[in-house]
Amino acid sequence: MRKLISVFLLLCFTVTAFAQEALAPHEVYDYAPDLPYEEIERRYNELDLEIDIAFNDRVHAFINYFTVRDRDYTREMLRRKEVYFPIFEKYLAKYNLPQELKYLPIIEAGLNPKAVSGPQAVGLWQFMSPTAREQGLHIDWYIDERMDPEKSTEAACKYIAWLYGIFKDWKMTLAAYNSGIGNVWRAMRRAGHKEDFWEVYNYLPRETRSYVPQFAAILYAMEYADVHNIYPTEILYPVDYDVVKTNQFVYLKTLADEGRIDIEEIERLNPAIKKGAIPANLKNFELRIPRYQSRYFQTHKESILAKAEADKVEFEKIAKNMPGSTFGKEKVVYRVKSGDVLGTIARKHNVRLEDLKSWNNIRGSLIRVGQRLDIFIGPDFYDASSVTANQRDQPIPDSKLHVVQPGDTLWDISRMYKGLSIDRIKELNNLKGNSIKPGMKLRIG
């Protein structure tokens, strides 16, 4: 009997231990504690934030969202934060900005350096291209530094510091970061020149009204995740890397193969490289390679880089056929006419319909008369309908001038005269874009 009791007790202990392990709240039974409004308010106020956003019903509603309704999102942010928070903290300290701003890329981009929004804001800090370029970020077909965590974070810190210098208030600074200075100034005027966020709240764009309380809520949710029983199942950590400076074309696939490096590791460390290659015209480009393979790479660096450069032809063949590719093509702007449809426009310019839609961010098939479409055409494209028979391949006139006619584009003009290219017309006339007007006199020789 004594032996049976011992066996029974041992069995009970084993089952209980197994049940406790199996029902660990953050692994299997994901319950959300029901915390009273007053307790959440008390904990929020104890954070003693430099960015002083008052706790109210709007903030509480977003806290409820991040801690109850979409706990998985908060859990994923906890999983990713160790990769990016050290970068944010470094530059926030450098520019003497509140450390709370490290939570901004969570609501901006979900801590995804390659995030792209509908309006084409890009990266952790969701820069639009004009603002990014103003802050010194490089953007071209190959590279988009808005996706570089280090460079985009420093640019964001400089931009935020500039905004704060204008508004002298953190809530208004956040609102301006989200919707632009013009929208905030307009809201302030409509509110009777008020300067407090909550007093101009109803005059701000709808998204911006949510932006500031949402920022406060995600900050609270991340700081008190454990109180709300939110834990990451695993944690991502940054990969140690070394920097290799390049002054040549580099095809990443070849570099990874020759350097015995996982191509996905290279891509994760260098998210700003959009198309799998570094162009030759970027001097001293800082390529990150994982430290664990750095010794082998440095030992064979010369041969690895030589092979990565030699495979440029292979890369170009692939690049030309990428969906939405503009590689090796010239941009022309087409104005939609009555009766035009996307398929006809694509066939007329010898481009793929899906590329035409991708270049112009068109999801369906709706276009309107007068709409301007960006079209990227290869050097072998020639639209016979764009010029009349007696205009084609004319010699450059003695006056070396062309008077722009209604409907003329730079592409049309370049095809009228022998040996003339769009780039040459731009160079001769100091043109930065492709816009020309009837009556303009363009130098063509």
Side-chain angles (χ1 to χ4, degrees), residues 98-121:
Q99 286 294 316
E100 297 107 89
L101 289 169
K102 67 187 177 186
Y103 294 103
L104 204 57
I106 293 180
I107 60 171
E108 284 286 348
L111 295 183
N112 175 10
K114 299 181 81 69
V116 180
S117 72
Q120 300 301 300

Side-chain angles (χ1 to χ4, degrees), residues 53-323:
I53 302 171
F55 185 88
N56 57 29
D57 290 345
R58 300 182 190 95
V59 173
H60 180 259
F62 278 112
I63 288 175
N64 183 67
Y65 178 82
F66 289 121
T67 60
V68 179
R69 293 171 56 195
D70 199 357
R71 297 161 59 78
D72 285 342
Y73 183 80
T74 306
R75 184 177 291 111
E76 179 62 19
M77 296 305 99
L78 290 168
R79 189 175 80 92
R80 299 182 185 186
K81 72 171 188 173
E82 295 302 328
V83 176
Y84 302 107
F85 274 23
I87 299 172
F88 303 159
E89 290 164 357
K90 176 177 69 175
Y91 288 106
L92 290 170
K94 178 179 177 179
Y95 289 91
N96 196 29
L97 296 172
Q99 286 294 316
E100 297 107 89
L101 289 169
K102 67 187 177 186
Y103 294 103
L104 204 57
I106 293 180
I107 60 171
E108 284 286 348
L111 295 183
N112 175 10
K114 299 181 81 69
V116 180
S117 72
Q120 300 301 300
V122 173
L124 289 162
W125 297 90
Q126 289 292 279
F127 273 116
M128 297 295 286
S129 57
T131 307
R133 289 191 170 100
E134 286 173 4
Q135 299 304 317
L137 296 179
H138 180 88
I139 305 170
D140 63 19
W141 190 84
Y142 287 93
I143 306 294
D144 190 338
E145 290 184 343
R146 292 177 292 177
M147 297 184 184
D148 184 291
E150 295 271 351
K151 292 182 178 180
S152 68
T153 298
E154 181 157 26
C157 287
K158 290 190 291 186
Y159 182 56
I160 291 170
W162 177 73
L163 288 175
Y164 183 74
I166 294 173
F167 291 100
K168 310 297 183 184
D169 176 89
W170 281 115
K171 294 185 288 294
M172 300 302 280
T173 297
L174 291 174
Y177 187 88
N178 175 251
S179 65
I181 293 176
N183 281 323
V184 174
W185 278 340
R186 190 177 303 113
M188 292 167 68
R189 286 196 303 271
R190 292 177 64 194
H193 299 281
K194 297 290 194 303
E195 297 182 357
D196 180 74
F197 174 80
W198 298 113
E199 290 183 303
V200 304
Y201 177 87
N202 290 326
Y203 301 97
L204 290 166
R206 180 176 299 177
E207 179 188 340
T208 308
R209 289 180 230 162
S210 299
Y211 188 79
V212 171
Q214 191 176 358
F215 168 77
I218 195 62
L219 189 156
Y220 168 95
M222 295 290 284
E223 291 289 335
Y224 289 118
D226 58 335
V227 173
H228 290 268
N229 191 42
I230 303 175
Y231 300 91
T233 53
E234 62 175 335
I235 296 177
L236 296 179
Y237 292 98
V239 175
D240 290 334
Y241 63 84
D242 287 327
V243 171
V244 175
K245 291 189 177 182
T246 67
N247 293 283
Q248 62 173 68
F249 176 88
V250 177
Y251 183 22
L252 288 191
K253 183 178 181 302
T254 301
L255 179 136
D257 290 344
E258 297 295 318
R260 300 179 182 178
I261 305 170
D262 183 353
I263 183 64
E264 292 184 358
E265 194 83 86
I266 289 283
E267 291 170 346
R268 278 194 296 271
L269 286 172
N270 301 275
I273 303 175
K274 297 189 296 182
K275 306 297 184 181
I278 303 168
N281 64 332
L282 281 185
K283 302 306 177 186
N284 293 317
F285 182 86
E286 295 185 349
L287 175 68
R288 303 179 184 115
I289 61 171
R291 185 163 294 162
Y292 67 80
Q293 200 64 3
S294 181
R295 178 175 295 181
Y296 178 86
F297 186 93
Q298 293 296 343
T299 302
H300 302 86
K301 177 180 176 180
E302 190 173 329
S303 63
I304 292 171
L305 290 178
K307 188 69 168 67
E309 185 176 34
D311 281 348
K312 182 177 181 180
V313 174
E314 178 190 342
F315 168 78
E316 289 180 350
K317 288 180 181 177
I318 297 172
K320 287 176 182 177
N321 291 297
M322 289 178 180

Side-chain angles (χ1 to χ4, degrees), residues 396-403 417 429 440-445:
I396 293 175
D398 292 338
S399 66
K400 300 187 186 304
L401 292 176
H402 174 90
V403 180
Y417 304 101
N429 295 276
M440 287 179 64
K441 293 181 179 181
L442 297 178
R443 289 183 56 82
I444 54 175

